[in-house]
Amino acid sequence: MYKLLKTINSPADLKQLRLPELKQLAVELRQYIIDVVSHTGGHLSSSLGCVELAIAIHYVFDTEDDKLIWDVGHQAYAHKVLTGRRDEMPTLRQYRGICGFPKRSESIHDCFGTGHSSTSISAALGMAVASKLQGNHKRNHIAVIGDGAITAGMAFEALNNAGDMKDIRLLVILNDNDCSISPPVGALSKHFTRLMSGRFYAQARDLGKSIVKPFPKLWEFTRRAEEYSKGWVAPNSTLFEEFGLNYHGPINGHDLEALIPVLQNMKNLQGPLVLHVVTEKGHGYELAERNPTKYHGISPFDVKVGVTSKPHAKTYTEVFSDWICQVAEKDEKVVAITPAMKEGSGLVEFQKRFPDRFFDVAIAEQHAATFAAGLAESGMKPVATFYSTFAQRAYDQILHDVCIQNFPVLFAIDRGGLVGADGSTHHGAFDLSFLRCIPNLILMTPSDENECCRMLQTGLEANGPSAVRYPRGKGLGVVIDSEIKALEIGKSRTLRSSEKQINRVAFLAFGSMVEVAMRVANKIDATVIDMRFVKPIDEKAIEKATKEHDLLVTIEENAILGGAGSACLEVVSRLGIPVRTLQIGLPDQFVEHGDKARLFQDCGMDELSIIERVKSALQV
């Protein structure tokens, strides 16, 4: 089935093929990616759209010396296969298997790790300048960035910097598939659309076709030439030219006969360059072509049937979706903001029902936070949705623009804690640590679906900034109150009390770890306090637990350093009451990808590990 693909063990093998063989390789490679992802899950649509582009890049460039960066890395599966990892692909995103994103430790062809968007141009520019300073004037530096990722401010900062540097070798390949994760939004997307549909280009193309179509050989020649000439007849006044970058394109990103000669020509050009290629997300798999967003990031599936939905308890994302629609129905001041994650953050239904109050600001978390501050200043009730790992990019704006001015902005932070197969770039491991140190901010961690709704309501009604941090995936199946009431701010709840007289243990548990603490407590007879609030922390509950127990165990799905447990121990320190303590949480390291249960074992956060750690702490 993969007769040709089996012979490709490195890009050097690729360079021995002729054009017809390269086309056949693209067919086999695309099918191989579909087969692998159907078993492992992963990012399918974006990688299918980049098969020919990956082949062309590796055919033309030498990425053992030339530097190639795939922005985000959703696009990079074909790259992985072509660079010696074909036989490892069945371990993709699996525990101790290969990463779903480019990773420097995996291959010499991965010169820069990616996972978050819009970093490629900055990194490639830095490498290009380093090569120049080191006297290497032949090395090429290629950044492949999508039309969605280029909407982020960081990409523009890099383009602005690159435009002043004429004596470097930098090629930015804009992979324009009209769909990042969700369909792209904003002025930049419209600019690309105008570029592709410019009247001058369309008129020139149609006139040329009408002249040569009666002559078959000339018609075929002209059809091919069209791919090379788009850059000459398309409107010249592009955004990239204004930045000082030499723009070429757009060309068909699935046509190897067009891609390879253009890349070979551009390989020999100096200065910062942009090649605009147009691809189709999901190309070659009809189901993904029809619904590229659905097939962007998927679980294992049947190739013939496609992705199917299964009945399940509601996810926290769905709980948030239901809640915000309910409150928006009652309050016209409620608005929702997402940085290009409408589907992932649960705002599809909100957009349908309240389109005038829905704002997708593209991949721009910094802007999203300050935009929310502006809305709040003028009397609106903004709810900004971030994945935990992406909230990191908005840190200064959360602190400087929202919290210092004490604006009532509610941050709904999804994917808190470990997220499994996406790995170290996507785990929500640090938000409790970096948010709890900010004055004025109320920080909450729900332990079930009903608690999540009550905390969201608490944040919405608070007269200042707040954040509700909830995990990825399904809830516990808890029934949600028909009338959602806000919580008393800073007040915990005791779910279980130990009946022991000696070696009394109290779990001070946060969010998703409350349920784990309850399972352990039922086995060893321990107290469990659902702390609810990381900030303000319930000092009275901690003081009571300190006086009545021999061991306090803080437990959270967050980095131990500076996290919720540290907040508890700060209180214990101020009280000056002698008590043994144990902190359970994510260790001071980047946790790799894999099944979440296995990762919990590695981190000492599964039930058996917790019991052993508690026993050891009691014996000290």
Side-chain angles (χ1 to χ4, degrees), residues 388-389 391-392 395 413 415-417 427-438 441-446 455 467-471 508-513 531-535 537 555-568 570 584-586 605:
S388 169
T389 187
Q392 296 161 187
Y395 189 68
I413 300 180
R415 272 69 166 176
H427 292 316
F430 310 106
D431 49 21
L432 299 185
S433 300
F434 68 68
L435 288 173
R436 81 172 188 88
C437 62
I438 304 177
L441 181 70
I442 299 170
L443 181 55
M444 297 166 274
T445 56
M455 290 178 182
V468 179
R469 183 257 208 180
Y470 43 91
L508 309 182
F510 294 85
S512 59
M513 299 306 293
M531 295 301 296
R532 284 178 162 169
F533 292 82
V534 178
K535 187 174 187 176
I537 199 82
I555 182 167
E556 62 190 301
E557 196 175 345
N558 185 80
I560 288 177
L561 295 182
S566 294
C568 295
E570 289 163 12
I584 293 176
L586 301 178
M605 296 170 62

Side-chain angles (χ1 to χ4, degrees), residues 318-529:
E318 290 168 335
V319 169
F320 165 76
S321 177
D322 292 345
W323 171 83
I324 194 169
C325 287
Q326 289 173 11
V327 295
E329 189 74 49
K330 299 174 183 177
D331 191 340
E332 293 183 353
K333 291 185 177 181
V334 173
V335 296
I337 304 164
T338 177
M341 299 298 290
K342 176 180 66 176
E343 288 83 7
S345 293
L347 289 173
V348 173
E349 184 64 23
F350 186 96
Q351 183 191 27
K352 290 179 182 176
R353 292 175 59 181
F354 313 102
D356 292 340
R357 289 186 273 157
F358 169 79
F359 301 95
D360 184 340
V361 301
I363 301 178
E365 287 81 4
Q366 294 168 296
H367 164 61
T370 305
F371 176 57
L375 285 163
E377 190 279 337
S378 296
M380 301 302 288
K381 297 180 180 179
V383 180
T385 61
F386 294 150
Y387 282 12
S388 169
T389 187
F390 301 141
Q392 296 161 187
R393 298 191 291 200
Y395 189 68
D396 181 58
Q397 286 69 29
I398 293 172
L399 189 157
H400 181 272
D401 298 332
V402 176
C403 292
I404 285 181
Q405 301 180 87
N406 206 29
F407 286 132
V409 175
L410 170 58
F411 295 100
I413 300 180
D414 203 336
R415 272 69 166 176
L418 299 182
V419 296
D422 280 340
S424 59
T425 58
H426 282 62
H427 292 316
F430 310 106
D431 49 21
L432 299 185
S433 300
F434 68 68
L435 288 173
R436 81 172 188 88
C437 62
I438 304 177
N440 293 337
L441 181 70
I442 299 170
L443 181 55
M444 297 166 274
T445 56
S447 56
D448 61 43
E449 301 95 315
N450 193 55
E451 284 285 291
C452 187
C453 287
R454 294 193 68 186
M455 290 178 182
L456 289 165
Q457 191 68 32
T458 303
L460 188 68
E461 295 180 13
N463 190 29
S466 60
V468 179
R469 183 257 208 180
Y470 43 91
R472 179 182 187 177
K474 295 183 287 186
L476 304 179
V478 171
V479 176
I480 297 173
D481 296 339
S482 57
E483 183 181 355
I484 305 298
K485 295 182 179 180
L487 298 171
E488 180 182 345
I489 294 176
K491 183 68 173 177
S492 65
R493 59 173 182 164
T494 299
L495 300 180
R496 188 188 193 283
S497 296
S498 174
E499 296 181 358
K500 284 186 175 181
Q501 300 301 312
I502 59 172
N503 289 337
R504 287 169 58 86
V505 176
F507 284 97
L508 309 182
F510 294 85
S512 59
M513 299 306 293
V514 170
E515 192 228 350
V516 179
M518 283 293 290
R519 294 201 303 267
V520 172
N522 287 331
K523 293 178 180 179
I524 66 173
D525 186 15
T527 296
V528 176
I529 303 172

Side-chain angles (χ1 to χ4, degrees), residues 151-396:
T151 61
M154 185 174 179
F156 287 100
E157 293 168 13
L159 291 171
N160 182 58
N161 192 189
D164 281 338
M165 300 182 182
K166 304 303 181 187
D167 53 349
I168 58 171
R169 300 180 78 89
L170 172 67
L171 171 59
V172 176
I173 298 178
L174 172 61
N175 175 29
D176 184 357
N177 57 32
D178 197 34
C179 188
S180 50
I181 296 176
S182 301
V185 296
L188 188 61
S189 173
K190 294 175 183 176
H191 173 81
F192 292 149
T193 302
R194 286 196 302 271
L195 190 67
M196 288 296 293
S197 60
R199 180 178 299 175
F200 174 67
Y201 165 66
Q203 289 177 344
R205 177 193 59 196
D206 294 342
L207 177 62
K209 286 183 177 180
S210 67
I211 294 172
V212 302
K213 202 165 187 178
F215 307 97
K217 289 185 178 180
L218 185 57
W219 162 249
E220 177 62 20
F221 172 79
T222 305
R223 187 184 72 80
R224 290 294 176 193
E226 180 182 15
E227 300 300 339
Y228 303 98
S229 63
K230 283 182 180 178
W232 297 97
V233 298
N236 264 338
S237 182
T238 70
L239 175 70
F240 303 104
E241 296 282 1
E242 297 299 323
F243 271 119
L245 285 78
N246 190 354
Y247 172 88
H248 299 258
I251 65 170
N252 184 350
H254 299 299
D255 187 346
L256 288 167
E257 292 183 54
L259 276 173
I260 290 173
V262 169
L263 287 174
Q264 286 172 332
N265 289 337
M266 297 188 76
K267 181 180 179 180
N268 299 315
L269 299 178
Q270 280 282 106
L273 312 169
V274 172
L275 174 62
H276 185 172
V277 302
V278 179
T279 61
E280 179 185 35
K281 197 172 183 182
H283 187 75
Y285 182 44
E286 185 180 357
L287 294 174
E289 290 175 359
R290 291 205 304 258
N291 195 339
T293 297
K294 182 177 181 179
Y295 285 82
H296 171 74
I298 54 177
S299 300
F301 67 101
D302 185 322
V303 174
K304 294 181 180 178
V305 176
V307 174
T308 57
S309 57
K310 300 177 181 178
H312 58 71
K314 283 191 175 182
T315 65
Y316 281 95
T317 304
E318 290 168 335
V319 169
F320 165 76
S321 177
D322 292 345
W323 171 83
I324 194 169
C325 287
Q326 289 173 11
V327 295
E329 189 74 49
K330 299 174 183 177
D331 191 340
E332 293 183 353
K333 291 185 177 181
V334 173
V335 296
I337 304 164
T338 177
M341 299 298 290
K342 176 180 66 176
E343 288 83 7
S345 293
L347 289 173
V348 173
E349 184 64 23
F350 186 96
Q351 183 191 27
K352 290 179 182 176
R353 292 175 59 181
F354 313 102
D356 292 340
R357 289 186 273 157
F358 169 79
F359 301 95
D360 184 340
V361 301
I363 301 178
E365 287 81 4
Q366 294 168 296
H367 164 61
T370 305
F371 176 57
L375 285 163
E377 190 279 337
S378 296
M380 301 302 288
K381 297 180 180 179
V383 180
T385 61
F386 294 150
Y387 282 12
S388 169
T389 187
F390 301 141
Q392 296 161 187
R393 298 191 291 200
Y395 189 68
D396 181 58

